[in-house]
Amino acid sequence: MGIGELKKIVKKVKVDASKCVGFKETILEEVKYYKSFAGYNHPIKLINEIGADSVKVRNNYLKGIYINKKLKVVEKYNDEKLFFRYDYVYERNKLIKVKITDINEEKKKYY
């Protein structure tokens, strides 16, 4: 059996691991805080990281939530109130959807 034949067999047996019985994916969630962001394209680039203890004394800050090192949520706070929230949806490491919630909790979707 040659390498080409083996590659064909491997392609046929590949499955989505998340659908396998007993599959356990390690999910790493990390929360970071920032002073500001740069640019207007999504996902936005969060800049000037600050410590969690600094948030208590700041009126304005951004909170970034990373799942497995991928930015999934951005929340902007003004005077301790949520100003806006971006939820990012990825497929195969490509951003496919942005869900935006504004200060009035109006939801918008961008693809």
Side-chain angles (χ1 to χ4, degrees), residues 44-75:
I44 61 173
K45 182 178 179 174
L46 299 171
I47 57 173
N48 302 321
E49 187 174 351
I50 57 175
D53 54 335
S54 298
V55 170
K56 296 173 188 171
V57 296
R58 293 187 59 83
N59 288 332
N60 303 314
Y61 63 91
L62 292 132
K63 176 180 175 182
I65 301 172
Y66 298 82
I67 307 280
N68 294 336
K69 299 185 180 184
K70 176 80 70 185
L71 182 61
K72 293 288 191 164
V73 176
V74 174
E75 294 177 338

Side-chain angles (χ1 to χ4, degrees), residues 51-110:
D53 54 335
S54 298
V55 170
K56 296 173 188 171
V57 296
R58 293 187 59 83
N59 288 332
N60 303 314
Y61 63 91
L62 292 132
K63 176 180 175 182
I65 301 172
Y66 298 82
I67 307 280
N68 294 336
K69 299 185 180 184
K70 176 80 70 185
L71 182 61
K72 293 288 191 164
V73 176
V74 174
E75 294 177 338
K76 166 84 173 162
Y77 288 90
N78 285 339
D79 298 322
E80 299 180 11
K81 294 179 184 172
L82 183 65
F83 188 67
F84 67 74
R85 175 183 169 113
Y86 298 152
D87 289 275
Y88 296 120
V89 179
Y90 298 90
E91 187 174 279
R92 295 187 178 125
N93 289 326
K94 182 179 177 185
L95 182 64
I96 61 165
K97 188 185 305 183
V98 181
K99 297 178 188 175
I100 299 173
T101 305
D102 67 14
I103 192 169
N104 300 318
E105 294 190 22
E106 293 179 15
K107 295 183 180 181
K108 301 172 188 171
K109 291 182 185 177
Y110 292 94

